[in-house]
Structure formats: C-alpha cells, structure tokens
Amino acid sequence: MLNIVLFGPPGAGKGTQSAKLIEKYNLVHLSTGDIFRANIKNETELGVLAKSFMDNGKLVPDEVTINMLAAELDNYKQPKGFIFDGFPRTSAQAEALDALLATKNTSITLMLALEVEEDELRKRLLLRGADSGRADDMNPEVIQKRIDEYNAKTLPVKEYYQSQLKFKGINGLGNIDDIFSFLCNEIGM
Ligand code: AMP
C-alpha cells in the first residue's frame, strides 16, 4: 500500500494537492477537516463538539479525532492506500496512526510537507474565506490561532517522521502543477 501523510500549515495547499494525488495514484482521501465539516453540516453529536473547537481555531481533542479516524479507516476493505490530509496534527495522533496501520499490516510510506511562509498563508486563507464562506478562514484572529496551534502542536510531528526517515519537504509556493510534479517525484512512481 502507498500511505502518504500530506503535511503543512493551514493554507499550504494540502486539499488541492490531495485531489490530484488521489486521482493519479488511486488512493483514498482522508481529510479530518472535511470529515468534521460534514458532521457539522449533518448536525451530528461529533459535529457539535468539533465546531466548538474549530470556530476558535483550536485543535479538536486527540481522543475524539483519533477515534473518528479509526472508524473511517475501517470503512475501506482493500484500499490501494490512503492520503492523510490534516492528520496527524499532534505527536499523539502520529503514534496512534502508526498503531492503527500496524493492525492492518501496513504503515506510512512517506510524509510530504508543503512549506509556505506565514504571510503567504494569511493571504491565502483570507482569499479562500472570501471565496468559500468557510467561517474559520474569514476571521484574522481565528486564522492566527490556527497558525499558532500548528507551530505549537503540529510542527513536532515533522520530527516524528524525520526520525523514521520518512520526511520530505517541498516548496509550496508556485504553480499548482509544478508542485504536484515535485510531489510525484518524491513518491517516485
Ligand atoms: P482543516 O480543514 O484541515 O484546516 O481543519 C479545520 C479544523 O478542523 C482545524 O482548525 C481543527 O479545528 C480541526 N481539525 C482538523 N483535523 C484535525 C486533527 N487532525 N486534529 C485536531 N483537529 C483537527
């Protein structure tokens, strides 16, 4: 199986590149942000809980997020592989993911990180908010909180994969197709 963690701060282009990668490699796309938003839309109990964190730019607690992801993984019986988009976002989530994949006799192949500087992220997120109406992209304070959460809790996940020699950083600034080619080169297929 080809299991990729697509990593990067909010606004780095994970969603855009995931869409291209799943098409090329026939992978299952698991975006925890998308799953939370679907739960919010359907007004589930999980959605109500997640919304109270998301509206403030904070991470949803690990236990809730990990349980949700574990249930999602079980929905796919013989996948070619997964793209994890927006997960893991903490070291505890990274450890849980390794354990979950081990129960399925597989593991993470590679972490691909889209690297974009903060000023550019702020600009991109505000533009996306204006286009999509996504509440957490429209408020500069919430955007800053998400970037701060990323720096404090998510960046250490990079070291987790570096120590497993699975980390590859890619410049996330530039043309979408060029960035996609760089990602494919790293995947090497
Ligand atoms: P995203 O669409 O990936 O930018 O995620 C939007 C929001 O959903 C984040 O700001 C978090 O509040 C929440 N979220 C998504 N994925 C996770 C995760 N792996 N752990 C905790 N919270 C998450």
Side-chain angles (χ1 to χ4, degrees):
M1 276 171 76
L2 176 64
N3 297 313
I4 292 172
V5 173
L6 196 56
F7 190 71
K14 298 188 294 294
T16 305
Q17 295 297 337
S18 290
K20 294 173 80 69
L21 290 168
I22 53 167
E23 195 184 342
K24 172 159 178 166
Y25 295 102
N26 227 331
L27 303 173
V28 174
H29 183 205
L30 287 183
S31 157
T32 40
D34 284 353
I35 302 169
F36 284 135
R37 279 184 289 278
N39 276 276
I40 292 173
K41 200 169 161 212
N42 295 329
E43 298 178 347
T44 67
E45 205 177 313
L46 174 64
V48 173
L49 177 73
K51 188 174 186 321
S52 65
F53 293 93
M54 290 167 78
D55 282 352
N56 295 308
K58 288 167 56 177
L59 293 184
V60 177
D62 280 339
E63 201 193 334
V64 176
T65 307
I66 291 165
N67 286 342
M68 175 186 87
L69 189 96
E72 278 292 321
L73 278 179
D74 281 342
N75 287 336
Y76 301 94
K77 295 306 168 207
Q78 285 192 312
K80 283 200 161 172
F82 293 99
I83 295 232
F84 297 96
D85 164 5
F87 184 96
R89 260 174 156 106
T90 64
S91 303
Q93 291 181 14
E95 284 167 25
L97 181 59
D98 274 353
L100 278 169
L101 292 178
T103 65
K104 298 180 187 303
N105 297 316
T106 185
S107 60
I108 291 297
T109 314
L110 199 59
M111 163 180 269
L112 296 170
L114 293 170
E115 296 171 335
V116 178
E117 55 151 277
E118 279 189 24
D119 277 348
E120 172 70 14
L121 297 174
R122 287 189 202 92
K123 273 190 240 158
R124 285 189 188 182
L125 290 169
L126 282 170
L127 273 176
R128 187 168 78 182
D131 270 0
S132 70
R134 204 178 125 172
D136 60 348
D137 283 342
M138 289 166 77
N139 178 333
E141 278 170 27
V142 174
I143 288 176
Q144 191 56 48
K145 181 73 194 162
R146 285 158 66 203
I147 294 175
D148 293 346
E149 285 276 89
Y150 175 81
N151 288 329
K153 297 179 183 162
T154 307
L155 259 184
V157 177
K158 170 176 168 176
E159 285 160 34
Y160 182 87
Y161 290 96
Q162 263 171 337
S163 71
Q164 295 185 4
L165 307 178
K166 291 180 175 173
F167 176 86
K168 297 278 180 197
I170 277 125
N171 182 359
L173 209 59
N175 176 292
I176 289 175
D177 289 330
D178 289 344
I179 298 169
F180 181 60
S181 299
F182 293 137
L183 293 172
C184 296
N185 282 344
E186 291 297 349
I187 294 169
M189 292 167 55

